[in-house]
Amino acid sequence: QVQLVESGGGLVQTGGSLKLSCTASGNILRIDVMAWYRQYPGKQRELVARVIRDGTTNYLDSVKGRFTISRDTTGNTAYLQMNELNPDDTAVYYCNAILTTRGTLNTRGHWGQGTQVTVSS
C-alpha cells in the first residue's frame, strides 16, 4: 500500500508563512512527480505547484514569487514553503504524487489526506 501523509497546515495572519510537508511511503518503485493542489469550498481542485524528477518546477501564477516547492534528496518528501500569505490562499491543500508501485508496476496519482490552511485578514 502507498500512503501520503501531509502536515504543516494551520491558521496564520495575512503576510505570514507556513511550510507544508508530504511524505510518501509504501510499496513504491519510483516517484515521477510531486505536486501540491488546493481546493476552495464548492470549487474544482487546482494545481498550485509541482516538481518533476529532473527538477523542473511549475507554479500557479498567483503564487509565483511567494511559494516554493521542493523535494528532499530521497525524493519521497515534498515541501511547499508559503510566504506572504493572503486570505485568497485559504483552502484545503492536497499533496499528489505520480508514482509507480512495485510488482504490478502500476503508475498513477495518489492523494494525501489534505491539510487546512487559513489566512486571516
Side-chain angles (χ1 to χ4, degrees):
Q1 264 190 328
V2 173
Q3 187 176 36
L4 272 64
V5 178
E6 303 178 30
S7 64
L11 173 64
V12 297
Q13 294 181 335
T14 296
S17 298
L18 286 172
K19 188 174 184 177
L20 308 182
S21 66
C22 171
T23 298
S25 62
N27 196 24
I28 300 169
L29 179 65
R30 183 185 70 251
I31 301 176
D32 295 316
V33 181
M34 298 196 78
W36 290 95
Y37 290 74
R38 67 185 179 190
Q39 189 167 23
Y40 303 120
K43 303 295 184 180
Q44 292 288 330
R45 198 168 295 182
E46 66 178 356
L47 178 65
V48 176
R50 67 178 179 180
V51 58
I52 304 172
R53 288 185 70 198
D54 65 1
T56 301
T57 57
N58 300 96
Y59 295 93
L60 184 68
D61 283 345
S62 62
V63 309
K64 286 181 179 177
R66 300 190 297 121
F67 291 10
T68 302
I69 189 171
S70 61
R71 292 173 69 174
D72 67 3
T73 55
T74 68
N76 68 332
T77 299
Y79 304 94
L80 186 68
Q81 177 66 51
M82 303 185 293
N83 300 323
E84 303 170 41
L85 287 162
N86 62 69
D88 288 339
D89 297 316
T90 296
V92 178
Y93 285 72
Y94 295 90
C95 179
N96 180 267
I98 299 175
L99 55 84
T100 301
T101 54
R102 297 181 184 274
T104 62
L105 300 180
N106 178 255
T107 301
R108 69 175 182 88
H110 295 259
W111 291 101
Q113 81 279 9
T115 185
Q116 177 71 47
V117 171
T118 302
V119 185
S120 65
S121 59

